[in-house]
Amino acid sequence: MIPLKHLLTGILAGLMTACASTQNPDPDSDMRQLTGLYDYRIIDPDTDKTLSVTALADQWQDADVIIIGEFHGHNGAHLLEAQLQSALYKLRPNQVLSMEQFTVDHQTAVDRYLAGETGEEELIKEGAAWNNYKASYRPLVAFAADHHLPVVGANAPADMARCVGREGKQAIDGISADKQQWLPTNPLFSPPGYRERFFGAMGGHHGNTGDPRLENSYLAQLLRDNTMATSIERALAEQPGDQVIHLTGTFHSEGRSGTVAALLHRSPSLNIKVLSPVIADDPRVPALEKADRVKGDAVYLLYPLPDEYKSDDARNAAIAERFKQAPQPACD
């Protein structure tokens, strides 16, 4: 009898292959219509040509680091990540998976899972995995485990980022000795233009107000970026010659800013490629706007997500509930 987990893995692989073959056109085709949430179109922004996952992997196989920006929870983004991970592995099997979705202080939990010492539920609990781990990241981590590849928890400790977001720079200065190991080098390095972009995204009119809450939120963003950059740099040093695939929210990487700029600040000679998502305004005739073309070395178009809320009252109530449930760590 075939073990259940192997049967499910085979079914999943078949579904992913079916999605790829029926929804993603031949790279030489001009068809770009997006038909659903599992669909995507990879575009070369210089030529406006559609690329297959295989073609993109072939172009990027010599890169030191490939950073895939995502919209967290978008089905098409996570399908693309898993398919590109597999395509790159076929060309360059010495591979490291680096993830914003796990933090540096939970690396031991990730390593224990990869070593077969714990099961998935233990990884989720001990590694403080994101709520959408099973739906979004399970295939990538399982692929790494099956092929004995390292997985790096790259992000800043959640309580440390929350403390910086609440108290600002003084939270960094006051980190206890036992937590200093989690701090990246130059933890608040800020690349040119990034602050303005961050403040613009947070409201568009806050750029120069000096609002302390926004300033502290920006410092927390920098802590995450610089921690991920240091984690990638460390992975390259520990696995010389390996290719690092890093998954992150698109704001951390698009336009080669955020984590990308922080990594290049540390290691200017690295060959880094950035893949960034764009939600199509019209999925029937998806096209790149001028501003989209500078978001990555390649971009991928995605089908629009359903509206989360139609009611402002429901949206505001959900945000208030989320803040109420957020843990408030002691900042020491």
Side-chain angles (χ1 to χ4, degrees), residues 13-30:
L15 288 173
M16 291 176 67
T17 301
C19 286
S21 62
T22 60
Q23 294 186 357
N24 290 300
D26 183 271
D28 296 324
S29 170
D30 288 328

Side-chain angles (χ1 to χ4, degrees), residues 5-302:
K5 68 176 183 178
H6 295 316
L7 179 61
L8 292 176
T9 300
I11 293 173
L12 177 61
L15 288 173
M16 291 176 67
T17 301
C19 286
S21 62
T22 60
Q23 294 186 357
N24 290 300
D26 183 271
D28 296 324
S29 170
D30 288 328
M31 291 179 57
R32 289 192 187 164
Q33 184 175 8
L34 300 169
T35 60
L37 286 170
Y38 278 107
D39 204 1
Y40 59 81
R41 295 290 178 272
I42 304 172
I43 308 293
D44 182 333
D46 294 327
T47 65
D48 206 37
K49 296 292 186 180
T50 301
L51 299 172
S52 67
V53 168
T54 302
L56 184 67
D58 186 62
Q59 289 184 14
W60 287 5
Q61 63 178 298
D62 293 329
D64 301 310
V65 182
I66 293 173
I67 298 185
I68 308 175
E70 66 174 39
F71 294 126
H72 302 315
H74 195 295
N75 308 74
H78 299 307
L79 176 61
L80 170 56
E81 288 167 341
Q83 292 179 333
L84 184 56
Q85 176 194 35
S86 177
L88 286 165
Y89 176 81
K90 292 176 182 177
L91 299 171
R92 192 169 169 181
N94 294 329
Q95 184 184 92
V96 177
L97 177 63
S98 173
M99 303 180 69
E100 176 194 0
Q101 296 78 16
F102 286 104
T103 56
V104 293
D105 52 329
H106 289 110
Q107 184 64 52
T108 299
V110 175
D111 291 341
R112 291 184 66 218
Y113 175 74
L114 294 174
E117 298 172 6
T118 57
E120 184 176 77
E121 291 298 332
E122 292 164 301
L123 169 66
I124 291 170
K125 181 178 179 180
E126 296 173 11
W130 288 12
N131 291 337
N132 63 330
Y133 171 82
K134 290 183 178 180
S136 302
Y137 306 109
R138 169 194 270 167
L140 291 119
V141 176
F143 183 92
D146 288 344
H147 293 84
H148 309 289
L149 305 175
V151 177
V152 174
N155 206 354
D159 58 348
M160 191 180 292
R162 281 192 292 266
C163 285
V164 172
R166 197 167 74 204
E167 299 183 357
K169 186 176 183 298
Q170 68 180 27
I172 293 282
D173 298 334
I175 288 175
S176 58
D178 62 316
K179 295 182 179 179
Q180 290 284 337
Q181 61 180 312
W182 311 127
L183 271 178
T185 56
N186 199 359
L188 300 180
F189 166 76
S190 177
Y194 192 47
R195 180 182 182 278
E196 290 74 17
R197 177 173 160 242
F198 180 86
F199 274 60
M202 295 293 285
H205 59 281
H206 294 293
N208 296 305
T209 64
D211 184 327
R213 293 170 300 177
L214 288 175
E215 291 287 355
N216 291 345
S217 294
Y218 179 59
L219 295 180
Q221 177 82 358
L222 294 178
L223 177 63
R224 295 185 182 97
D225 284 323
N226 286 286
T227 302
M228 288 190 281
T230 296
S231 297
I232 295 169
E233 184 182 41
R234 184 180 299 118
L236 290 167
E238 293 176 351
Q239 306 287 334
D242 286 12
Q243 184 176 67
V244 174
I245 300 173
H246 179 69
L247 311 182
T248 189
T250 187
F251 196 91
H252 290 286
S253 59
E254 67 181 32
R256 300 179 73 84
S257 191
T259 299
V260 184
L263 182 55
L264 286 171
H265 179 72
R266 290 160 168 77
S267 302
S269 63
L270 285 178
N271 180 1
I272 302 174
K273 297 296 184 183
V274 178
L275 179 62
S276 297
V278 174
I279 297 294
D281 291 331
D282 183 353
R284 296 166 301 176
V285 190
L288 291 180
E289 302 293 335
K290 183 177 180 180
D292 298 331
R293 297 180 182 277
V294 297
K295 289 183 176 179
D297 299 288
V299 299
Y300 61 105
L301 291 159
L302 293 169

